[in-house]
Amino acid sequence: MGCIQSFRQCCDRPKNTNVRISLPAVCFVWQIAMIILFGIFIRYNEESDAHWIEHKTSKNISSNIENDYYFRYPSFQDVHVMIFVGFGFLMTFLKRYSFGAVGFNFLIAGFGLQWALLMQGWFHSLDPMDGKIKIGVESMINADFCVASCLIAYGAVLGKVSPVQLMVMTLFGVTLYAVEEYIILSLIHARDAGGSMVIHTFGAYYGLSISWMLYRPNLDQSKHRIGSVYHSDVFAMIGTLFLWMFWPSFNSAISDHGDGQHRAAINTYLSLAATVLTALAISSLSQKTGKLDMVHIQNATLAGGVAVGTAAEFMLMPYGSLIVGFCCGIISTLGYIYITPFMEKYLKIHDTCGIHNLHAMPGVIGGIVGAITAAAASEDVYGKEGLMNTFDFTGEWKEMVPTRQGGHQAAGLCVALCFGIGGGIIVGCILRLPIWGDAPDNSCFDDEIYWEAEEGNGSGNYVYLFFYMILEVLIKMFL
Amino acid sequence: MGCIQSFRQCCDRPKNTNVRISLPAVCFVWQIAMIILFGIFIRYNEESDAHWIEHKTSKNISSNIENDYYFRYPSFQDVHVMIFVGFGFLMTFLKRYSFGAVGFNFLIAGFGLQWALLMQGWFHSLDPMDGKIKIGVESMINADFCVASCLIAYGAVLGKVSPVQLMVMTLFGVTLYAVEEYIILSLIHARDAGGSMVIHTFGAYYGLSISWMLYRPNLDQSKHRIGSVYHSDVFAMIGTLFLWMFWPSFNSAISDHGDGQHRAAINTYLSLAATVLTALAISSLSQKTGKLDMVHIQNATLAGGVAVGTAAEFMLMPYGSLIVGFCCGIISTLGYIYITPFMEKYLKIHDTCGIHNLHAMPGVIGGIVGAITAAAASEDVYGKEGLMNTFDFTGEWKEMVPTRQGGHQAAGLCVALCFGIGGGIIVGCILRLPIWGDAPDNSCFDDEIYWEAEEGNGSGNYVYLFFYMILEVLIKMFL
Amino acid sequence: MGCIQSFRQCCDRPKNTNVRISLPAVCFVWQIAMIILFGIFIRYNEESDAHWIEHKTSKNISSNIENDYYFRYPSFQDVHVMIFVGFGFLMTFLKRYSFGAVGFNFLIAGFGLQWALLMQGWFHSLDPMDGKIKIGVESMINADFCVASCLIAYGAVLGKVSPVQLMVMTLFGVTLYAVEEYIILSLIHARDAGGSMVIHTFGAYYGLSISWMLYRPNLDQSKHRIGSVYHSDVFAMIGTLFLWMFWPSFNSAISDHGDGQHRAAINTYLSLAATVLTALAISSLSQKTGKLDMVHIQNATLAGGVAVGTAAEFMLMPYGSLIVGFCCGIISTLGYIYITPFMEKYLKIHDTCGIHNLHAMPGVIGGIVGAITAAAASEDVYGKEGLMNTFDFTGEWKEMVPTRQGGHQAAGLCVALCFGIGGGIIVGCILRLPIWGDAPDNSCFDDEIYWEAEEGNGSGNYVYLFFYMILEVLIKMFL
């Protein structure tokens, strides 16, 4: 007990937000480490190496267009936009935290993707011949996916942590992600093309657990900065729309060539369309005069994309996608109305962006939908070869049957939950240490802590204008 | 007469903008209807079904890259961006209607695309074997196209209608579109890859007719909210630019594989470039000191893309595209300067976004250019097979000749006009009923009617800042 | 001497910013010239002509997917977004020059790409058979590339020139670019896929030289308009992010099919990621309390993409890309802190957007990195055929060896520098003539000079609000 007590006391020391030493130090040390590790481990794969021309001949590939690059690069770019513009701008809704939203999102994504290439490479694409990781376009997509889970987690702690804490959170988040992904996809052999479990469930619970560990009892001192201004809400819509539009690419980016990618895109497209309608409907119902709330439009409309992630490449059927989207729009919006305030008040989890409603719940639903769809798969619907391909019943998994696959999917969901919650609690403990430069409770959600204010910025400008006007009035009065 | 009189009186009852019952009801009923209809009718097509692998073998397709997905998906995503970000942000220019612009655009596009998949499916891709509609990436593009026509129509009534009215307008708009498209493309056998006639002419006249029917004589009570603020104009430029940049994808998205898509992209690219110059030139000429007007830059620069829609896949020649763009930049900008005020004053058509200048006139020009280009086609220019391919002179149209094709193109244009105007008048009548929750004349163009205002929003914020400053000044004065 | 004196006096006449005659005249004359020249010279190439179907048969091409369109169109669209949204929004950071940034960027890009198609066509794709220029998707990418160099140059003079000057600058810039590109790529046979030398080095020094020639000694009269407001910085981040995200497409857009494009994308992706970390680190180090500066985040994070341009398609190795990005992030940020003020004070070069740090220095570094990587190439790393393909050691360059190729790369860099500086000085002289309608020193960086102010724009709005509030207060006081 005494130990915990002293840990607490240690954590409650006055805050110092100066990150002039720690932030550059972390950036430099980690970037140099990346260079060294990349030098040792990372090489181009067959399709991006200059030997491709020989490889092509030896494998009897008829044309350059068969290079995986042409199958996946357009989707990669869409995913890339989601990571940097989508997640970045989605979080700009706060009235004075747009720099932090977009800027720190940029920072942790830039770092995270390098670390992800290494971690995922060690688990998935280590070449046994020479001990090197071979990367190509699919590795880049996977690295972006991995980073997405950390950015989701960032949503829960937006405005309450320092950039150094975010870097630490990303370092551990990527590591945990790679392990969890390896267990779920390779050991358990669950399928998760759009990452409902692997990315969203894990990422959201990781972030929520950290937010719980970092609970600030006096956060209402910064209450007046929670909330948006008119144009910050419009900025956030940029994020929302780019996420919404490119989600079909997200869910189809790494699924099977041909019908797999095609089907995943269609399912996601439909699910998202249905979500928009039900999210708006519930939003309107929740207000006395039927007015809509931008928070719901910005977030809940995306829940359908999350929830259809696992099952997107399966034969979910167009109406199945609509049903998933229909339900998630309702659940997610209700989450914003009832669950987020409840969690803050009773569970002491403050969730700035409401990731519980946008990623956690839909992610779990997505895992369950995936398990059911997999268990219900039949040769009738998929065809013999189609079933084998879709669920990858090859090699050591040759004897697998759909019903058992359903169980494996469910097991995967549990692993994601455990890693998210467990990992988040541990990392949250580390982040409570008073060395990371986070802001005191009365200075949260404020860009002025970590960003150099331009002379002519927002409020300053108004003050200037105000005195200018006063002067004008006085001059007019006395002349 | 008495009947019309009483209809009028009925329509002129005081307005009630509470949509708490109607909006959720419409959303839920229609979404549930969609699920049921999708369940009955919609299935994956051969290229997105898990049986693709068998289909591939049976059709002797050598590689997965031959799946239509890889031909069209990049264009689809570009079109998708145009629909949601392009149209959405283009309309954010009003100082206090950005939420409505982007949010309702989102709502009606989300609903419209589902209904479009069904309507277009019944007409175009109903499988006679099993009575199901088979969808794939091309269906998604077509659904987005169909939605585009409704979003164009929204531009005419922006700020003056309720979300429920928009949903009704979209329901009928999509229906009319599907019929009109079937008549023009299938019965008349006109070609219209970029939809100058089918999408733009129809959509624009549909919207203008509705706006005429919903004419508000006392709209000048909301006059002070028409117009932009500095940053709302910058937001609108996001819409403009994404429309402008991705228009080559729009016009090439569903044209023929190979040279068809390639040529359509080049023609659109060139036409749009020429439009920018002439639109700016006329804009500058129209002001005493040669200043430019953002309204022209935001809108008229896009007219070239509309006008080259039909002919984009033809051998219009690069200089032909430039000429089309050149003329449309001039006409569209002149439209903003002279025709829009004229229409409002004398024809009682209030056109918020000036869609008459951006879509209606260029659409008609596009139809005419298409007819001329088609009529002038020759085997010399196209080659024998090229001519057959480009104009689809196969099957029952085997005997068709270019000159007659020109006539058919012109007939298509007339059909689009009739459907737009006729449909718009009928739907406009329905929308005049006083049950839809639209705003009174003095509350148009105002987000506060349908959107929950954040505490710290725009003007409220200034008021707060103002009193805060007064306080500061007083404190300093007395201490 | 007398001649220079009188030139000076002539240039120092009072400024007249009325462009009502000159701007439309320039636009119309040049657009008409373009139409005529396109009519004479420009035709579709084999892959976009309706004869493609015959060409396909004759060349034994098995499928439409082998059309270059499908190899390059997704990259083209990404590049297109960089040109119009990326460069356009990157420059919106100034508090009252967002219209000029985005609008003039639009204007000069729209004109420049037409002129570039012609100029580049004459040098590179003139068909000797019929004397026509044959264009396709690669021509469009190259035209966009060419325009990029002029937009970079615009960054140096942002806010200080008139749209007419910009048009003149673009006309000469594109011409110089085409010549320089021909010399570097064709005569010297240097490789420059991402244009570190051809685009960035040339464009930046071209702009800086012009800015030097147009030096305004009394620019501090407009000082209060240099600097950003809160939301203008967020707008600029839209530009930054779209440039950052799509840079892999930029560097890979015209490299070899297959492994070339694949590798270029990977290298750029990695280099940019490393740059983010070091740019932020230096930015934080440079402030007393470790705060970050938005100027650095908006610009320096992109330096890695510039610097890896030449070598992106080579076997630079993943760690090599990281090292390039690492160094450039540091150098570019230090440039913003030390070199830009130095250049302004001592060299009399005012560089509004800091293109010296973002394009000039990283471009030169990119040229050097390219030379070293080329010189160090070996059959071991590339394979025999790979080496030949990557460096295009075919035809008359059959006997070329990597070490000599390194020398040619270095020669290319020198040519780019000479053309940039020399061309800029000459064009700058022309632009000093007092006939172009540029603003006086006290009205720079102000949209009101060239843009029609909306009644309800920024500051006007505050004034209105202010009097409204005063009124409210007075009413409350006296009642």
Side-chain angles (χ1 to χ4, degrees):
Chain A
M1 274 311 283
C3 152
I4 291 177
Q5 202 65 21
S6 63
F7 175 71
R8 269 236 173 124
Q9 278 167 0
C10 162
C11 293
D12 292 347
R13 286 195 315 201
K15 311 268 188 180
N16 176 3
T17 62
N18 187 332
V19 291
R20 199 187 174 190
I21 304 304
S22 52
L23 182 60
V26 167
C27 287
F28 276 119
V29 169
W30 290 359
Q31 190 55 54
I32 291 168
M34 287 300 117
I35 292 175
I36 296 168
L37 290 168
F38 268 59
I40 301 173
F41 287 106
I42 298 212
R43 295 293 176 272
Y44 304 114
N45 72 3
E46 284 158 341
E47 308 194 282
S48 55
D49 193 283
H51 289 87
W52 156 255
I53 211 164
E54 294 158 25
H55 173 76
K56 215 172 60 170
T57 320
S58 76
K59 287 279 170 73
N60 223 345
I61 294 167
S62 64
S63 161
N64 277 322
I65 198 100
E66 303 268 339
N67 192 308
D68 198 33
Y69 178 82
Y70 300 103
F71 284 93
R72 304 210 185 274
Y73 190 72
S75 306
F76 160 68
Q77 275 296 4
D78 294 348
V79 171
H80 218 40
V81 172
M82 292 174 73
I83 300 299
F84 289 89
V85 163
F87 284 111
F89 273 86
L90 187 62
M91 299 190 287
T92 55
F93 70 98
L94 288 174
K95 70 182 77 153
R96 296 299 296 177
Y97 208 70
S98 302
F99 291 1
V102 145
F104 295 151
N105 183 80
F106 199 13
L107 171 67
I108 59 185
F111 164 65
L113 60 86
Q114 298 178 53
W115 182 229
L117 278 174
L118 279 164
M119 283 301 301
Q120 296 184 314
W122 281 320
F123 281 111
H124 292 288
S125 43
L126 204 63
D127 188 332
M129 300 282 284
D130 55 4
K132 305 289 184 196
I133 296 163
K134 300 295 169 65
I135 62 169
V137 64
E138 199 172 335
S139 323
M140 296 199 290
I141 297 172
N142 275 318
D144 273 17
F145 276 6
C146 178
V147 164
S149 70
C150 296
L151 299 181
I152 291 166
Y154 179 28
V157 296
L158 180 76
K160 299 174 291 181
V161 292
S162 78
V164 183
Q165 278 176 310
L166 286 171
M167 294 287 281
V168 175
M169 197 174 118
T170 306
L171 182 79
F172 287 108
V174 169
T175 314
L176 287 163
Y177 177 94
V179 177
E180 164 240 25
E181 187 198 27
Y182 177 67
I183 295 174
I184 295 174
L185 302 188
S186 300
L187 300 188
I188 298 183
H189 191 260
R191 303 284 292 171
D192 198 8
S196 296
M197 307 181 285
V198 172
I199 301 167
H200 297 287
T201 305
F202 165 74
Y205 283 105
Y206 180 63
L208 290 168
S209 305
I210 290 174
S211 185
W212 181 53
M213 292 305 293
L214 299 181
Y215 183 69
R216 290 164 177 271
N218 304 317
L219 193 60
D220 50 1
Q221 291 170 7
S222 294
K223 206 178 167 183
H224 57 287
R225 274 187 300 264
I226 302 184
S228 57
V229 289
Y230 194 69
H231 280 167
S232 74
D233 264 331
V234 183
F235 277 119
M237 279 306 290
I238 297 176
T240 301
L241 287 175
F242 275 101
L243 286 171
W244 196 92
M245 295 180 304
F246 288 159
W247 215 294
S249 297
F250 192 91
N251 285 349
S252 69
I254 56 160
S255 48
D256 290 339
H257 288 178
D259 63 300
Q261 289 196 284
H262 204 152
R263 194 163 53 246
I266 295 173
N267 284 333
T268 313
Y269 174 83
L270 291 174
S271 174
L272 283 164
T275 310
V276 175
L277 268 83
T278 52
L280 262 93
I282 299 292
S283 180
S284 176
L285 262 181
S286 73
Q287 297 283 344
K288 265 189 197 149
T289 55
K291 290 187 183 185
L292 298 162
D293 190 330
M294 277 306 263
V295 172
H296 306 151
I297 312 307
Q298 283 159 11
N299 294 282
T301 51
L302 299 165
V306 174
V308 90
T310 303
E313 58 173 348
F314 302 160
M315 293 288 285
L316 180 59
M317 292 296 148
Y319 65 87
S321 310
L322 289 185
I323 293 171
V324 172
F326 186 91
C327 299
C328 282
I330 297 172
I331 292 168
S332 182
T333 315
L334 290 176
Y336 277 96
I337 300 169
Y338 299 112
I339 302 179
T340 300
F342 172 85
M343 276 171 49
E344 188 178 348
K345 205 165 167 192
Y346 297 104
L347 305 183
K348 307 220 172 296
I349 301 175
H350 181 268
D351 179 4
T352 314
C353 295
I355 61 164
H356 186 261
N357 315 304
L358 172 47
H359 297 281
M361 288 192 301
V364 171
I365 293 170
I368 295 168
V369 169
I372 295 170
T373 321
S378 70
E379 281 197 12
D380 225 43
V381 174
Y382 287 77
K384 200 177 152 62
E385 273 185 288
L387 192 67
M388 230 180 64
N389 264 341
T390 307
F391 293 99
D392 196 24
F393 292 159
T394 53
E396 59 171 318
W397 302 97
K398 217 172 176 177
E399 303 302 315
M400 194 79 160
V401 288
T403 41
R404 240 189 90 201
Q405 177 71 27
H408 284 228
Q409 296 287 135
L413 181 59
C414 296
V415 173
L417 276 167
C418 293
F419 265 81
I421 296 171
I425 289 173
I426 295 165
V427 175
C429 268
I430 297 168
L431 295 181
R432 279 203 76 164
L433 294 174
I435 55 173
W436 306 114
D438 51 328
D441 290 359
N442 62 354
S443 303
C444 287
F445 315 112
D446 192 350
D447 271 336
E448 289 194 17
I449 303 299
Y450 301 114
W451 297 88
E452 190 58 25
E454 297 293 321
E455 30 163 348
N457 82 354
S459 62
N461 207 19
Y462 303 148
V463 174
Y464 164 81
L465 273 162
F466 174 77
F467 285 111
Y468 180 80
M469 286 165 204
I470 289 278
L471 209 75
E472 239 179 40
V473 173
L474 289 175
I475 288 167
K476 279 186 190 155
M477 271 165 70
F478 290 103
L479 295 179
Chain B
M1 275 311 282
C3 150
I4 291 175
Q5 202 66 22
S6 63
F7 175 71
R8 266 232 177 126
Q9 278 168 0
C10 162
C11 294
D12 292 348
R13 286 195 312 201
K15 310 269 189 180
N16 175 3
T17 61
N18 187 331
V19 292
R20 198 188 173 189
I21 304 304
S22 52
L23 182 59
V26 167
C27 288
F28 275 118
V29 169
W30 290 359
Q31 189 56 55
I32 290 168
M34 287 301 117
I35 292 175
I36 295 168
L37 290 168
F38 268 59
I40 301 173
F41 287 105
I42 298 211
R43 297 292 177 271
Y44 304 115
N45 72 2
E46 284 159 342
E47 308 194 282
S48 54
D49 192 283
H51 289 87
W52 156 253
I53 211 163
E54 294 158 24
H55 174 75
K56 216 174 60 170
T57 321
S58 76
K59 287 279 169 75
N60 223 345
I61 295 166
S62 64
S63 161
N64 277 322
I65 197 101
E66 302 268 340
N67 193 307
D68 198 33
Y69 178 83
Y70 300 103
F71 284 93
R72 304 209 186 274
Y73 191 73
S75 306
F76 159 67
Q77 275 296 2
D78 294 348
V79 172
H80 218 41
V81 172
M82 292 174 73
I83 301 297
F84 289 89
V85 163
F87 283 111
F89 273 87
L90 186 61
M91 300 190 287
T92 55
F93 70 99
L94 288 174
K95 69 181 79 154
R96 297 300 296 177
Y97 208 70
S98 302
F99 291 1
V102 145
F104 294 151
N105 183 83
F106 198 13
L107 172 66
I108 60 186
F111 164 65
L113 61 85
Q114 298 176 54
W115 182 228
L117 278 174
L118 279 164
M119 283 301 302
Q120 295 184 315
W122 282 320
F123 280 111
H124 292 288
S125 45
L126 204 63
D127 187 333
M129 300 283 283
D130 56 4
K132 305 290 185 197
I133 297 163
K134 301 293 169 66
I135 60 169
V137 65
E138 200 172 334
S139 323
M140 296 199 290
I141 297 172
N142 274 318
D144 273 17
F145 276 6
C146 177
V147 164
S149 70
C150 296
L151 299 180
I152 290 165
Y154 179 30
V157 296
L158 181 75
K160 299 175 290 182
V161 291
S162 77
V164 183
Q165 277 176 311
L166 287 171
M167 294 287 281
V168 174
M169 198 175 118
T170 307
L171 183 78
F172 287 108
V174 168
T175 313
L176 287 163
Y177 177 95
V179 177
E180 164 241 26
E181 187 199 28
Y182 177 68
I183 295 173
I184 296 175
L185 302 188
S186 300
L187 300 188
I188 299 182
H189 191 259
R191 303 284 292 169
D192 198 9
S196 296
M197 307 182 284
V198 172
I199 301 167
H200 297 286
T201 305
F202 165 74
Y205 284 104
Y206 180 64
L208 290 168
S209 305
I210 291 175
S211 185
W212 182 53
M213 292 305 294
L214 300 181
Y215 183 69
R216 292 164 176 270
N218 305 316
L219 193 61
D220 50 359
Q221 292 170 6
S222 293
K223 206 179 167 183
H224 57 287
R225 275 187 300 264
I226 301 184
S228 58
V229 289
Y230 195 69
H231 280 166
S232 74
D233 264 331
V234 183
F235 277 118
M237 280 305 291
I238 297 176
T240 302
L241 288 174
F242 275 101
L243 285 172
W244 196 92
M245 296 180 304
F246 288 159
W247 216 293
S249 298
F250 191 91
N251 285 349
S252 69
I254 56 161
S255 48
D256 291 339
H257 289 178
D259 64 300
Q261 289 196 285
H262 204 151
R263 194 163 53 247
I266 294 173
N267 285 334
T268 312
Y269 174 83
L270 292 174
S271 174
L272 283 165
T275 311
V276 175
L277 268 83
T278 52
L280 262 93
I282 299 291
S283 180
S284 176
L285 262 181
S286 72
Q287 297 284 342
K288 266 187 196 150
T289 55
K291 290 187 184 185
L292 298 163
D293 190 330
M294 275 308 261
V295 172
H296 306 151
I297 314 307
Q298 283 159 10
N299 295 283
T301 50
L302 299 166
V306 174
V308 90
T310 302
E313 57 173 349
F314 302 159
M315 292 289 284
L316 180 61
M317 291 297 148
Y319 65 88
S321 310
L322 289 184
I323 293 171
V324 172
F326 185 91
C327 299
C328 283
I330 296 172
I331 292 168
S332 182
T333 314
L334 290 176
Y336 278 96
I337 300 168
Y338 299 112
I339 301 179
T340 300
F342 172 86
M343 276 172 50
E344 187 176 349
K345 206 166 167 191
Y346 298 104
L347 306 183
K348 308 219 172 296
I349 302 175
H350 181 268
D351 180 3
T352 315
C353 295
I355 61 164
H356 185 260
N357 315 304
L358 171 48
H359 298 281
M361 288 192 301
V364 172
I365 293 170
I368 295 166
V369 169
I372 295 169
T373 320
S378 71
E379 282 198 11
D380 225 43
V381 175
Y382 287 78
K384 199 175 151 62
E385 274 185 288
L387 192 67
M388 230 179 65
N389 264 341
T390 306
F391 293 98
D392 196 23
F393 291 159
T394 53
E396 60 172 316
W397 302 97
K398 217 170 176 178
E399 303 302 314
M400 194 78 161
V401 289
T403 41
R404 240 189 91 201
Q405 177 71 30
H408 285 228
Q409 296 287 136
L413 181 58
C414 296
V415 173
L417 276 167
C418 294
F419 266 81
I421 297 171
I425 289 174
I426 295 165
V427 175
C429 268
I430 297 169
L431 294 182
R432 278 203 75 165
L433 294 174
I435 55 173
W436 307 114
D438 50 327
D441 290 359
N442 62 356
S443 303
C444 286
F445 314 112
D446 193 351
D447 272 336
E448 288 194 18
I449 304 299
Y450 301 114
W451 297 88
E452 191 57 24
E454 297 294 322
E455 31 162 348
N457 82 353
S459 61
N461 207 19
Y462 303 149
V463 175
Y464 165 81
L465 272 162
F466 174 78
F467 285 110
Y468 180 81
M469 287 164 204
I470 290 277
L471 207 76
E472 238 178 42
V473 172
L474 290 176
I475 288 165
K476 278 185 191 155
M477 270 164 70
F478 291 102
L479 294 179
Chain C
M1 275 309 283
C3 152
I4 290 175
Q5 203 65 23
S6 63
F7 176 71
R8 267 235 174 124
Q9 278 167 0
C10 163
C11 294
D12 292 347
R13 286 195 315 201
K15 310 269 188 180
N16 176 2
T17 61
N18 188 331
V19 292
R20 199 189 173 189
I21 304 304
S22 53
L23 182 59
V26 167
C27 288
F28 276 118
V29 170
W30 290 358
Q31 189 56 53
I32 290 167
M34 287 301 116
I35 291 174
I36 296 167
L37 290 169
F38 268 60
I40 301 173
F41 287 106
I42 298 212
R43 296 293 177 271
Y44 304 114
N45 73 2
E46 284 159 341
E47 308 194 282
S48 55
D49 192 282
H51 289 87
W52 156 255
I53 210 163
E54 294 157 25
H55 173 75
K56 214 172 61 169
T57 320
S58 76
K59 286 280 170 73
N60 223 346
I61 294 166
S62 64
S63 161
N64 277 321
I65 197 100
E66 303 267 340
N67 193 308
D68 198 32
Y69 178 82
Y70 300 103
F71 285 93
R72 304 211 185 273
Y73 190 73
S75 305
F76 159 67
Q77 275 296 3
D78 294 348
V79 172
H80 218 41
V81 172
M82 293 175 72
I83 300 299
F84 289 89
V85 163
F87 283 111
F89 273 86
L90 187 61
M91 299 190 287
T92 55
F93 70 101
L94 288 174
K95 69 181 79 154
R96 297 298 298 175
Y97 208 70
S98 303
F99 291 2
V102 146
F104 295 151
N105 183 81
F106 199 13
L107 172 67
I108 59 186
F111 164 65
L113 60 86
Q114 298 177 53
W115 183 228
L117 279 174
L118 279 163
M119 283 301 302
Q120 295 185 314
W122 283 319
F123 280 111
H124 291 288
S125 44
L126 204 63
D127 188 333
M129 301 282 285
D130 56 4
K132 306 290 186 198
I133 296 163
K134 301 293 168 67
I135 60 169
V137 64
E138 199 171 335
S139 323
M140 297 199 290
I141 297 172
N142 274 317
D144 273 17
F145 276 5
C146 177
V147 165
S149 70
C150 295
L151 299 180
I152 290 165
Y154 179 28
V157 296
L158 181 75
K160 300 174 290 182
V161 292
S162 78
V164 183
Q165 278 177 310
L166 286 172
M167 294 288 281
V168 174
M169 197 175 119
T170 306
L171 182 78
F172 287 108
V174 169
T175 314
L176 287 164
Y177 177 93
V179 177
E180 163 242 26
E181 187 199 28
Y182 177 68
I183 295 174
I184 295 175
L185 302 188
S186 300
L187 301 188
I188 299 183
H189 192 260
R191 303 284 293 171
D192 197 8
S196 296
M197 307 181 284
V198 172
I199 302 168
H200 297 286
T201 305
F202 165 74
Y205 283 105
Y206 180 64
L208 290 168
S209 304
I210 291 175
S211 185
W212 181 53
M213 292 306 293
L214 299 181
Y215 182 69
R216 292 164 176 270
N218 305 316
L219 193 60
D220 50 1
Q221 292 169 7
S222 293
K223 205 178 168 184
H224 57 288
R225 274 186 301 265
I226 302 183
S228 58
V229 289
Y230 195 69
H231 281 166
S232 75
D233 264 331
V234 183
F235 278 118
M237 278 307 290
I238 297 176
T240 302
L241 287 175
F242 275 101
L243 286 172
W244 196 92
M245 294 181 305
F246 288 158
W247 215 294
S249 298
F250 192 92
N251 285 349
S252 69
I254 56 161
S255 48
D256 291 338
H257 288 178
D259 64 299
Q261 290 196 283
H262 204 152
R263 194 163 54 247
I266 295 173
N267 285 333
T268 313
Y269 174 83
L270 292 174
S271 175
L272 283 164
T275 310
V276 175
L277 267 82
T278 52
L280 263 92
I282 299 292
S283 180
S284 175
L285 261 180
S286 73
Q287 297 284 342
K288 266 188 198 149
T289 55
K291 290 186 183 186
L292 299 162
D293 190 330
M294 275 309 262
V295 172
H296 306 151
I297 313 306
Q298 283 159 11
N299 295 282
T301 50
L302 299 165
V306 175
V308 89
T310 303
E313 57 173 349
F314 302 160
M315 292 289 284
L316 180 60
M317 291 297 149
Y319 66 88
S321 310
L322 289 185
I323 292 170
V324 172
F326 185 92
C327 299
C328 283
I330 296 171
I331 291 167
S332 182
T333 314
L334 290 176
Y336 278 96
I337 300 169
Y338 299 112
I339 301 179
T340 300
F342 172 87
M343 277 172 49
E344 187 177 349
K345 205 166 169 191
Y346 297 103
L347 305 183
K348 307 223 172 295
I349 301 175
H350 181 268
D351 180 4
T352 315
C353 296
I355 62 164
H356 186 261
N357 315 305
L358 172 48
H359 298 281
M361 290 193 299
V364 172
I365 293 171
I368 296 168
V369 169
I372 295 170
T373 320
S378 70
E379 282 198 10
D380 224 45
V381 174
Y382 287 78
K384 200 175 150 63
E385 275 186 287
L387 193 66
M388 231 180 64
N389 263 339
T390 306
F391 293 98
D392 196 24
F393 291 159
T394 54
E396 60 173 317
W397 301 98
K398 218 171 174 177
E399 304 302 313
M400 193 80 160
V401 289
T403 42
R404 241 189 90 201
Q405 177 70 29
H408 284 227
Q409 297 286 137
L413 181 59
C414 297
V415 173
L417 275 167
C418 294
F419 265 81
I421 296 171
I425 289 173
I426 296 165
V427 175
C429 268
I430 298 169
L431 294 182
R432 278 204 74 165
L433 295 173
I435 55 172
W436 306 116
D438 51 328
D441 291 359
N442 62 355
S443 304
C444 287
F445 315 112
D446 193 350
D447 272 335
E448 289 194 15
I449 304 299
Y450 301 114
W451 297 88
E452 190 58 25
E454 298 292 322
E455 30 163 349
N457 81 354
S459 61
N461 207 20
Y462 304 150
V463 174
Y464 164 82
L465 273 163
F466 174 77
F467 284 110
Y468 180 80
M469 286 164 203
I470 289 278
L471 208 76
E472 238 178 41
V473 172
L474 289 175
I475 288 167
K476 279 186 191 153
M477 270 165 71
F478 291 102
L479 294 179

